[in-house]
Structures are given as C-alpha cells and as structure tokens.
Amino acid sequence: MLDEKDEKLPLGSSDENNSDTTEKTEETTIEEQTESSNEEVAKDDTSETIEAESNTEQKAAVDEEDVVLNEIDDSNAEDAEDEDNRVRHTIPVLDYHSMSIENLVGELQRLVKNEKVQAIKKHVDDIKSEFDLKFQEFLDEKKEEFISNGGNEIDFHYNSVTKRQFNEVYTEYREKKNQYHKSLEKSLKDNLATRLQIIEDLKGLVSIEEDINATYKNFKDLQEKWRQTGPIPRNNYNDVWRTYHHHIEIFYDFLHLNRELRDLDFKRNLEEKEKLVERAEALEKVEDLNVAFQELQTLHKIWKEDIGPVDKDHREAIWDRFSNATKALHNRRQGYYQELEKKFEANLVKKHEIIEGIKAITIKVAANHKRLQQQIKEIEALRDSFFKAGKVPQKVNEKTWASFKENVREFNRKKNSFYKDQKKEQQDNLDKKRALLELATSLKDSEDIAHATPEMKRIQNEWKTIGHVPRKFSDKIWKEFKDACNHYFKRLHAHKNEAQKDELENFEKKSACLERIQAFELSGERSKDLSAIKQFVAEWKSHGRVPFNKKSINVKFNKILDALFKKLDVDRQEGEMLKYGNKIQQLKQSEDTDYALQKERTFIRRKIDESNTEIRQLENNLQFFSNASEDSPVVRDVIKKIDGHKKDLETWKEKLKSLNILKNNLNKESEETEETVEEDSEEA
C-alpha cells in the first residue's frame, strides 16, 4: 500500500513543473544551508508541493490538455500491464455495424484464432454488441412469425446454427482470457510489491547519513531495479508511478548538497527530453493519425518512466515544447473526429431516410402475395442499406436503432397478419386442387379421347386460375397432378403417333417425289416441260398431309418449283396459282377445315386490302410528278411498283376465288352427305 502522506501528482502535470513547487520561495543558497536542516527543509518543500499540486489539479480539471494526457496515461497503463497489449493498436477495427450475423461470427473466429487474447477485447466487445442487436431483431421476427401462424409465445423456441457457433467461439475467447489473466495475476501482484518496496527504499535515501556518492549510487541502483521490474496491474499503474516520481523529485532536491552530481543528471535528462520533443514535433507531419498518436503515447511513456527531471531554468520551457507538440497532434485528432462526426451526422440523415422508406411501405402493405413479395425484397434492400450507411453519433445510436427495429417489426407484423388471413384461402385452394386432381386421375386412363382431351385441357387451365396452397402441400399435390396429366397426354400422343402412320407414308412418298423433281432437267420444249411440272404438282397434291414436324418439305418443293418457273419464264401469277394448289390441298385435309378456311380467307382479304392501299398511295404520289417526264427514274420506279402491286392484287384475288370454289365444293359434299343420311333414315 502507498503511504497516506505520499501525495499524487496532478494528472497531466509535467515532472519539471511539479518539481518547481518543491523549491523554496525565498532565496537561500545551498552553501548557507546546514546538513542538520536538510530533512526539515525537504518536509517543508513537500508540504508546499502538496498545496501547489492541489491548486494545479483544480486548474487542470478544466484544462483541455488533460483530456489527451488522460487518454495517453490510461492507454499506457493498459499497455504497461503486458507489452503484447500494444498489438491491439495494429489490429484494424472493421465496420461491424454493416456485417451480417454470419460475417460477425466469421470475424470473431478469425480474431480468437489468430490474435493474442489480451489485444482483442475492444474488437470482441464491439462484435458481441452488434451480434446481440442483430440476432435479437432476427429472433423477434421469427417469434412474431411463429405467433402469426397460430403458435403460443410460451412454446416458441428457435434453434440457430449461427447463434450456436457464436456462443462456442465467444466461450473459447472467455476461457482464453480467463486463463491469461489467471497466469498474469500473480506476476502483476509480485511486481507491484517490488515497485512499492523500491518507493519505500527511495524514501529512506534522504534520511541515511552516509557518503553522498554512495547514496547516489544506491539511488541509481534503485532506478535500474525499477526499470527491470515487470508490469503491474493497470489500475495501480498511474498512482504508483506518480508516487515513485514524487520521491525521485524529493531525492533530487536532497542532492543540492552535491550540485555536480545533480547537474550532470539534469544535463543528461535535458538532452534526452530534447530528443523526445523533436520526435513529438515531427509527428505533426505524420499522415496516419493512429500511428502518430501511438508514437506519442510511447514518447510520453519514455518521458514519464525512463527520463528524470531537468534543471529549473529549463523545466518549463522543455515541458511547454513537449506539451505544445502534444496539443498540436491532439488538435489534429480533434479536427479528424469533428469531420468524422459530420460524416456520422450525414449517415444519420441517410438512416432517417431509410427508416422513412420503411414507414412508407409499412403504411401501404400490399394485399396480394406477388406485390407483398416485392415489398419484402424492398424492405430487405432497405435493411441492407441501413447497415451499410455507417455509424451515427453515439448519442442517437440507440434511438435510431430502436426506430429502425420497430418499423421493420411493424412491417413484419402486417406481413404475418396478411399470410395468416391467407391460410384459410389457401386451404380452400387446396380443396379445389384436390378435386381437380381427383378428376384428372379418373380421366388419365380414359379411352374416350373426344371427351377426355378437352376435359383435361379445361382442368389444366382451371388449375392455373387457383391461387396458392399451403407450402407443405404445394410440391406434393402439384407432382401428383402433373403426373396424372402427363400420363394421359403420353397416351394421347402414342395414339396420335399410331394415327400418323398414314402421314408418315405420305411424307415418304413426297420425299421420293421431291428427289425426282430435284433431278428433273428441262428439255427445252416449254409446253412439254410445263406439263411435266404440272404432273409433279398433281402427284404432290395426291399424297395428302404430312406430320406437322415434317411440313418443311413443302417449302423445299415450292422453292424448286420457283426455280423451274423462272427458267421457263412462267408468269408469276400462274406460278403462284400452281403452287397454291398445294395450299388448297392442305386446307382441305386440316382437322378443322372450316376454321382453316376462315383463317386463310381472312389472311387473303387483308392482303387484298393492303395491295389496294399501296396502289392508291403510289398513284397519289405519282400526281406530284405530273410535270415530270415518264423517263424520270423516280417516275419509272413508282410506275414499276404500281404494276407490281396490281399483279399481286390479281394473284390474291385468284387465290380467294380458288378458296371460294373449295368452300362451295365442301358445302355441296356436306349437303349430299346429309341427304344420304335422311334417305337412309326414311328407308329405315
């Protein structure tokens, strides 16, 4: 324990300034003082020091300089407990606020595995704080979802792999930390006892009557022993040092009997402190403020622990230089923190905007699943933006977080309420889909294709109109329905494949016809060649329909016809009508002939209208060239286009005529069939 009469020096005071108070105010020469009065003078000086220090402490309480000096002292005290503590200054503190809970666990694992446990306390505390906040928000959301689905709050329990991993890593950290402190505790206590004993020995030096040189040697030995003694508990660091330094000052005052020794020490100390001051002043040019401040802490530690006082004439000046360098760096840091605070204020504005965005969505929560899913994504995007927006001023951090959390929670309440209401509707949908499934199952093996096929198509279309069903039934009922439909339509396709045998035979015949016409060579006699081509066309028509996926063979045949017509200089309209005979044959063989004819008729009429419109437009344009010569290239081009469209118009009219003839023939065949049926009925 420290002696009660040992006063603490004021925090932030220099050793020189404090030692000034130990000088007597009245002028007395060292030579006039008697050896017998030395102890009394020292005691008087100590009393004056205590009084002066008390006044200084009151003044220092309002001195801004104390802020940075206190910070330096506290940091040095922590570092002094274990030299490895300094490592904490080099471990980057990441933006834990923007991390997900999974990433926070990953970062905690990395720190515990790779860094010294005594160097990561701040990092671990920050990670734990963020993890607890975010996991609690996540847990609250899951609880409300559980309750909204009909559960009782007392029954809620959530197993989180991420939380379990975090607890395991954090427990490992605590065990390592406890083990470290347990092993350190005895060493720190022993070192504290040693240092306190050194202080007691220092106090005894001024009362020993022996040769001053021997006393001075003992003093130096005690200083060296102090330096060699290991770390002590951080809570005792500053008080023990101040007491030690106080008695160092008393001893130097005692040394006035041997001015030569004292002045020699003062000179060495001044030289060392000037070096420290120069290093401190140079820190103003160091760009990295963290590096600069760590260096400043080291300089203060050396100033405090390793270098003694200087003579009275230089004490105030050297301390002022060191103090001013400290203030300069402190001012830079303050400027940096002020800019950082402005950034935090800007982040606060962003976060308020994000919260307002969440409020706006929460006010108008969608009443349908699709839109609500979009809003959920929007909320998730806003949540991510909130965490990435950065830190806000500490004074409003909790309030901002609470506002954010409450608005997200309100959205989740409304979302859960919507889906709770949807449960009954989803159950109704499930009943409807089960009914359709039952019907599809009953039809999947039906032989009545004419009835079953449209019914199966109707069932499929109706299925699409039914909304969502409970998720746990969704995949199962859809698979059963799909299997029933697929089973039926595979049977249907197999049946159609059987029916398509004739079409495949037609395809084989047309393929043979195509090969022959490809090999056909013109004889040079136009009428003979044209007759041969017409025979090919007639044969092609006679072979009937081909499978749908083989229809490209008709395109190939028409291309060959176009090439032959071109060589024979066959009129375009005549060629088109010859080819159109194939189209007429296809229409006649369609499953729904009436629909196919109507569709083709509509197409041709549209083409006739388009041709008439083009002709009128071009003829109107031609009027603008009434004064122009017919030899003009522009006029010739317009006339050429008009003639082309007129030929197209005639072709389309001929096609429509052929179509009408086919329609009339089909109507006659239908009437004859009906008459035959009636006659058969009458005879019966």
Side-chain angles (χ1 to χ4, degrees):
M1 293 294 292
L2 296 178
D3 196 316
E4 292 181 359
K5 70 179 180 180
D6 296 331
E7 290 293 324
K8 302 177 185 177
L9 293 183
L11 189 61
S13 303
S14 73
D15 48 2
E16 288 80 3
N17 288 340
N18 289 323
S19 63
D20 286 347
T21 62
T22 64
E23 298 289 344
K24 291 188 66 74
T25 55
E26 60 182 275
E27 293 294 326
T28 21
T29 63
I30 296 176
E31 292 79 2
E32 293 174 338
Q33 294 176 1
T34 62
E35 186 174 349
S36 62
S37 64
N38 285 343
E39 185 174 352
E40 181 179 351
V41 170
K43 291 180 179 178
D44 291 340
D45 288 347
T46 302
S47 299
E48 291 182 16
T49 300
I50 293 172
E51 181 179 354
E53 287 175 351
S54 177
N55 294 332
T56 306
E57 285 179 346
Q58 293 175 7
K59 180 180 179 182
V62 295
D63 192 345
E64 183 183 355
E65 179 185 349
D66 283 352
V67 175
V68 64
L69 292 175
N70 282 339
E71 183 179 351
I72 291 172
D73 282 345
D74 291 342
S75 181
N76 281 336
E78 185 173 353
D79 292 343
E81 194 171 71
D82 185 340
E83 284 300 318
D84 287 335
N85 282 347
R86 289 189 175 275
V87 178
R88 76 187 193 279
H89 300 303
T90 63
I91 302 173
V93 178
L94 305 182
D95 184 6
Y96 303 126
H97 183 65
S98 65
M99 289 185 177
S100 65
I101 56 177
E102 292 79 11
N103 289 341
L104 288 171
V105 173
E107 179 61 14
L108 181 62
Q109 287 175 326
R110 187 191 69 79
L111 289 171
V112 174
K113 180 180 179 181
N114 300 326
E115 305 293 350
K116 294 184 180 295
V117 69
Q118 65 271 34
I120 58 175
K121 181 181 184 303
K122 183 180 187 309
H123 304 72
V124 173
D125 288 348
D126 288 350
I127 289 174
K128 186 176 188 304
S129 176
E130 287 295 339
F131 183 89
D132 288 345
L133 285 174
K134 291 179 179 178
F135 184 75
Q136 187 59 49
E137 180 205 7
F138 173 78
L139 201 62
D140 290 342
E141 183 178 337
K142 290 297 180 183
K143 182 187 288 185
E144 289 185 7
E145 185 177 335
F146 174 77
I147 295 171
S148 69
N149 288 330
N152 293 321
E153 183 174 356
I154 194 172
D155 297 325
F156 175 76
H157 179 72
Y158 188 81
N159 290 318
S160 169
V161 175
T162 306
K163 175 63 172 172
R164 186 168 65 251
Q165 290 175 338
F166 179 86
N167 289 342
E168 289 172 356
V169 181
Y170 187 72
T171 299
E172 181 184 354
Y173 162 74
R174 292 184 62 185
E175 289 174 351
K176 283 186 174 183
K177 185 178 70 170
N178 291 338
Q179 185 178 357
Y180 162 76
H181 285 298
K182 186 176 180 180
S183 63
L184 185 65
E185 185 177 3
K186 185 177 185 306
S187 173
L188 293 177
K189 287 182 178 179
D190 291 344
N191 293 336
L192 176 60
T194 301
R195 288 185 183 267
L196 292 177
Q197 185 57 51
I198 291 172
I199 291 172
E200 290 299 318
D201 293 343
L202 276 175
K203 289 163 64 176
L205 287 179
V206 297
S207 60
I208 297 176
E209 295 184 4
E210 63 179 358
D211 179 65
I212 192 65
N213 290 322
T215 303
Y216 184 73
K217 183 180 182 304
N218 290 335
F219 170 72
K220 285 298 183 181
D221 290 343
L222 288 173
Q223 281 188 311
E224 182 60 24
K225 185 177 180 181
W226 179 274
R227 282 191 285 269
Q228 295 301 322
T229 303
I232 65 175
R234 72 183 68 173
N235 293 338
N236 302 106
Y237 174 78
N238 285 316
D239 288 343
V240 171
W241 177 84
R242 289 190 187 98
T243 306
Y244 167 75
H245 189 76
H246 174 62
H247 288 287
I248 291 288
E249 291 290 337
I250 291 176
F251 181 79
Y252 272 106
D253 288 335
F254 171 73
L255 274 185
H256 67 274
L257 293 177
N258 193 324
R259 180 185 295 274
E260 183 179 348
L261 286 175
R262 186 177 71 167
D263 289 349
L264 184 61
D265 253 14
F266 282 169
K267 182 181 178 182
R268 286 200 208 99
N269 294 341
L270 179 61
E271 290 172 354
E272 292 301 316
K273 290 196 173 183
E274 284 175 341
K275 293 177 184 178
L276 291 186
V277 169
E278 290 172 1
R279 287 170 63 183
E281 290 172 341
L283 293 178
E284 191 171 4
K285 297 179 181 178
V286 177
E287 291 187 8
D288 191 324
L289 279 171
N290 287 330
V291 172
F293 194 70
Q294 290 165 29
E295 176 66 11
L296 182 64
Q297 289 178 206
T298 302
L299 296 180
H300 272 265
K301 186 174 186 296
I302 296 171
W303 183 288
K304 174 187 286 189
E305 297 185 9
D306 298 343
I307 306 176
V310 301
D311 63 277
K312 181 178 180 181
D313 293 340
H314 294 91
R315 288 177 185 175
E316 185 173 350
I318 194 67
W319 171 251
D320 285 346
R321 281 185 63 192
F322 192 56
S323 177
N324 288 337
T326 300
K327 289 177 184 177
L329 184 58
H330 174 64
N331 290 338
R332 277 185 62 199
R333 288 183 82 221
Q334 288 300 106
Y336 167 77
Y337 287 132
Q338 287 172 3
E339 289 301 316
L340 202 59
E341 193 68 18
K342 290 180 183 177
K343 184 179 178 181
F344 290 168
E345 290 289 347
N347 294 343
L348 180 62
V349 173
K350 291 179 186 177
K351 289 197 170 184
H352 281 163
E353 291 174 353
I354 292 169
I355 292 171
E356 289 302 316
I358 295 172
K359 281 183 181 178
I361 296 174
T362 302
I363 291 172
K364 297 181 180 179
V365 172
N368 64 80
H369 172 73
K370 183 177 180 180
R371 175 58 187 142
L372 184 53
Q373 287 299 309
Q374 292 177 346
Q375 288 184 331
I376 291 171
K377 291 179 181 179
E378 291 170 9
I379 292 292
E380 285 300 317
L382 288 170
R383 288 182 79 258
D384 291 342
S385 298
F386 182 88
F387 291 122
K388 291 177 181 178
K391 295 182 179 180
V392 300
Q394 187 63 34
K395 61 185 178 182
V396 295
N397 184 50
E398 289 189 11
K399 181 179 179 182
T400 306
W401 171 256
S403 177
F404 165 76
K405 187 168 66 172
E406 179 55 34
N407 280 281
V408 171
R409 189 177 296 173
E410 180 62 22
F411 172 81
N412 288 331
R413 289 193 193 103
K414 291 186 177 181
K415 174 196 70 176
N416 294 335
S417 175
F418 168 80
Y419 283 115
K420 185 177 181 180
D421 294 339
Q422 290 290 299
K423 286 187 69 176
K424 184 180 183 303
E425 181 180 339
Q426 289 182 358
Q427 185 60 45
D428 292 341
N429 293 340
L430 179 62
D431 294 340
K432 292 177 183 177
K433 287 190 173 183
R434 280 174 173 164
L436 292 180
L437 172 61
E438 185 178 348
L439 183 56
T441 303
S442 68
L443 291 172
K444 70 177 185 177
D445 293 313
S446 174
E447 297 296 334
D448 187 357
I449 293 176
H451 166 72
T453 300
E455 184 66 3
M456 288 295 282
K457 290 181 179 180
R458 182 193 68 78
I459 290 171
Q460 287 180 317
N461 290 331
E462 185 176 343
W463 182 281
K464 294 175 184 178
T465 64
I466 300 173
H468 294 280
V469 301
R471 185 176 299 176
K472 61 182 179 181
F473 299 109
S474 178
D475 292 341
K476 183 175 182 294
I477 194 170
W478 165 244
K479 184 178 183 304
E480 291 176 358
F481 180 74
K482 184 174 66 172
D483 290 347
C485 292
N486 288 344
H487 177 82
Y488 174 79
F489 284 106
K490 282 179 181 178
R491 288 181 57 250
L492 179 63
H493 292 155
H495 178 78
K496 284 187 175 181
N497 288 338
E498 189 70 24
Q500 284 178 349
K501 284 184 178 179
D502 291 341
E503 293 179 357
L504 288 172
E505 290 177 4
N506 293 339
F507 175 74
E508 294 298 329
K509 293 175 182 178
K510 284 193 173 184
S511 295
C513 181
L514 184 67
E515 289 179 5
R516 293 200 308 276
I517 196 172
Q518 284 175 328
F520 176 72
E521 294 183 0
L522 298 175
S523 65
E525 297 182 22
R526 189 176 187 280
S527 59
K528 180 181 176 181
D529 291 335
L530 194 57
S531 175
I533 292 171
K534 288 181 179 179
Q535 288 178 3
F536 277 118
V537 173
E539 180 187 349
W540 189 269
K541 292 179 183 178
S542 68
H543 292 324
R545 188 169 62 183
V546 299
F548 180 81
N549 60 350
K550 305 290 185 181
K551 283 189 175 182
S552 60
I553 196 172
N554 293 323
V555 177
K556 294 177 182 178
F557 183 76
N558 286 332
K559 284 184 177 179
I560 294 173
L561 288 180
D562 287 339
L564 292 173
F565 288 153
K566 186 175 182 181
K567 289 179 181 179
L568 292 173
D569 197 23
V570 173
D571 179 73
R572 179 181 174 187
Q573 181 178 345
E574 183 181 358
E576 282 293 322
M577 292 309 299
L578 281 171
K579 290 189 293 180
Y580 195 66
N582 290 337
K583 180 69 175 179
I584 291 293
Q585 189 69 17
Q586 292 174 16
L587 293 172
K588 187 176 180 181
Q589 295 170 350
S590 298
E591 290 184 358
D592 190 346
T593 305
D594 288 339
Y595 173 75
L597 287 174
Q598 182 61 38
K599 185 177 179 181
E600 181 69 10
R601 186 194 303 275
T602 302
F603 172 73
I604 292 175
R605 288 190 181 281
R606 187 169 70 250
K607 287 296 181 180
I608 290 173
D609 291 340
E610 289 175 359
S611 296
N612 282 324
T613 301
E614 288 291 335
I615 292 169
R616 284 195 300 271
Q617 182 64 44
L618 289 169
E619 287 177 345
N620 289 336
N621 293 344
L622 196 59
Q623 293 178 5
F624 291 105
F625 302 101
S626 57
N627 297 326
S629 170
E630 290 187 2
D631 295 332
S632 168
V634 176
V635 174
R636 287 204 305 270
D637 182 61
V638 173
I639 292 173
K640 183 179 178 181
K641 288 181 179 179
I642 291 173
D643 291 341
H645 283 299
K646 285 182 177 179
K647 289 179 181 179
D648 289 342
L649 179 61
E650 290 302 317
T651 300
W652 289 118
K653 286 181 177 179
E654 284 297 319
K655 288 182 177 181
L656 182 61
K657 183 177 178 182
S658 298
L659 205 62
N660 290 334
I661 291 171
L662 174 61
K663 177 65 175 173
N664 290 333
N665 290 338
L666 291 175
N667 288 339
K668 286 180 181 179
E669 291 176 3
S670 177
E671 289 173 359
E672 290 173 357
T673 301
E674 289 177 1
E675 289 175 359
T676 302
V677 171
E678 288 177 0
E679 290 175 0
D680 292 342
S681 176
E682 289 175 0
E683 291 176 1

